[in-house]
Amino acid sequence: MTIDSIANLDYYFAALSTLIKDRILAHFSDEVGPDRYTLPSLDMAAGPLAEFIHEHKLGIEEHYTLLIALTPHVRPDFFDNIIQEALSKPGDFPQIGGIRGKQFRGFIPTGETALFLLAGKNWQARQKLSHHIFSPEHLFAEKRLLLLETPPEGEPLISGKMILNQTMISWFTIGKEYL
């Protein structure tokens, strides 16, 4: 990873950290909270992730969805640290979704994770986002960039883990395609 790529990703992870903390705090309050959060401006971020977002004219929810899916590949303990820091007492926070892998013991985001972080308690916004971002017609699915793994039988479809294409992981982090 180049120093520029690391600095730009750190910029995005700071925004994601704020989003996670804000959503957890909003969850425990009586407020529904705002429907949108703002990613760092593309004018202030550079690098492969920012270029991809700009080139494909992705919306704010899509920005965060890519960032959420990329996080465990770049910062394996990120979600665990931020979630525990935001909670008043230790323990799991099932509302944020996520699973643990067979070999990877960190937090792996699911579709539920993205919906919770992007729409909080707003069920209408969650449904709208789910049908947009995880739709088979969306750029993510059409180009097989980001998919939801099929969950075990009987479990909600949105509980599938978010799978970011290995080429995209490599491109977003080092600016080179994975071979």
Side-chain angles (χ1 to χ4, degrees):
M1 234 185 286
T2 67
I3 296 200
D4 286 345
S5 293
I6 292 169
N8 287 312
L9 287 175
D10 281 346
Y11 190 62
Y12 281 115
F13 288 127
L16 182 57
S17 172
T18 300
L19 172 63
I20 294 168
K21 290 174 187 175
D22 287 351
R23 278 298 185 203
I24 291 173
L25 289 173
H27 179 78
F28 289 110
S29 75
D30 291 333
E31 300 173 21
V32 171
D35 289 339
R36 294 177 175 251
Y37 286 90
T38 304
L39 262 180
S41 167
L42 292 177
D43 295 339
M44 299 183 73
L49 179 58
E51 290 168 11
F52 181 85
I53 290 166
H54 181 71
E55 177 184 339
H56 294 284
K57 298 175 177 55
L58 299 180
I60 195 77
E61 292 89 357
E62 294 153 320
H63 291 196
Y64 271 115
T65 301
L66 283 175
L67 187 56
I68 291 164
L70 178 64
T71 299
H73 301 279
V74 179
R75 304 220 4 222
D77 60 344
F78 182 83
F79 279 105
D80 286 321
N81 290 342
I82 300 300
I83 292 167
Q84 290 306 312
E85 187 179 308
L87 293 174
S88 58
K89 51 187 168 190
D92 282 339
F93 184 63
Q95 294 84 349
I96 201 167
I99 61 170
R100 303 283 173 192
K102 291 178 184 172
Q103 294 178 339
F104 178 75
R105 296 176 59 184
F107 181 95
I108 301 172
T110 60
E112 181 62 30
T113 306
L115 295 181
F116 175 79
L117 293 176
L118 299 173
K121 296 178 189 180
N122 184 331
W123 296 105
Q124 292 172 333
R126 291 168 70 99
Q127 288 299 310
K128 184 178 174 186
L129 278 170
S130 177
H131 293 298
H132 172 63
I133 292 176
F134 300 118
S135 160
E137 293 85 30
H138 192 278
L139 168 77
F140 294 162
E142 281 184 350
K143 298 203 180 239
R144 301 193 56 78
L145 305 175
L146 174 67
L147 303 170
L148 286 183
E149 181 179 69
T150 303
E153 188 173 336
E155 293 189 16
L157 293 174
I158 206 69
S159 69
K161 70 181 171 184
M162 295 172 67
I163 301 173
L164 188 58
N165 179 301
Q166 186 63 48
T167 299
M168 300 313 297
I169 296 166
S170 180
W171 179 253
F172 292 155
T173 56
I174 62 172
K176 294 182 181 177
E177 285 192 38
Y178 175 79
L179 301 176

